[in-house]
Amino acid sequence: SSGITQSTGNEELDFFVKGNISLEKSARKKPHPWIPDQGWEDLVKFGEVCNSLGDVPGMVERDGAKWKTWAEEDDPESRPVPGGLEDKMGDFQKLCLLKCFRVDRVYRGVTNYV
């Protein structure tokens, strides 16, 4: 609906396109086996880029069951993000978060977004 606007920061756009391209693994260990390895690295980077949302990787660590349920939905891009984040994040941030858990749903998410 809103498309990429001025409020979509360059850092967020960069993250969406590239993810976490650092060759060094994050100091934060992946807390749950169901999270893809690269997804966790991306999530840690997302937490840095979108720090206004709070410690998102920490939220996933503490409340893994809710996040797993969301990530395993047939259409997570259409479902509310756990942790009370749905009301705090913009559509593009939600796409970035979706990329961390379900790369396979990003195309669909983009289609909904545009």
Side-chain angles (χ1 to χ4, degrees):
S1 56
S2 57
I4 295 176
T5 63
Q6 289 291 72
S7 63
T8 303
N10 286 344
E11 258 193 309
E12 288 176 15
L13 186 57
D14 202 47
F15 170 82
F16 183 73
V17 172
K18 299 177 189 164
N20 185 349
I21 56 172
S22 172
L23 296 176
E24 289 183 34
K25 279 205 170 272
S26 161
R28 293 179 87 155
K29 297 283 180 240
K30 184 173 82 162
H32 307 292
W34 56 267
I35 303 172
D37 290 347
Q38 185 58 50
W40 176 249
E41 297 300 319
D42 287 349
L43 186 63
V44 171
K45 179 73 172 177
F46 175 82
E48 294 167 10
V49 171
C50 298
N51 57 13
S52 62
L53 296 172
D55 179 19
V56 178
M59 293 176 197
V60 173
E61 198 168 340
R62 286 187 299 277
D63 212 355
K66 280 186 183 159
W67 285 89
K68 183 176 195 276
T69 299
W70 175 76
E72 291 180 349
E73 290 281 2
D74 289 338
D75 58 344
E77 69 280 356
S78 304
R79 308 285 179 164
V81 176
L85 289 175
E86 184 71 21
D87 298 334
K88 296 178 185 168
M89 63 178 20
D91 292 343
F92 192 73
Q93 288 174 327
K94 187 171 179 177
L95 268 181
C96 289
L97 188 62
L98 181 66
K99 179 181 175 168
C100 298
F101 292 98
R102 292 285 301 275
V103 175
D104 61 309
R105 297 302 299 175
V106 169
Y107 177 79
R108 186 77 197 136
V110 168
T111 306
N112 292 348
Y113 177 69
V114 177

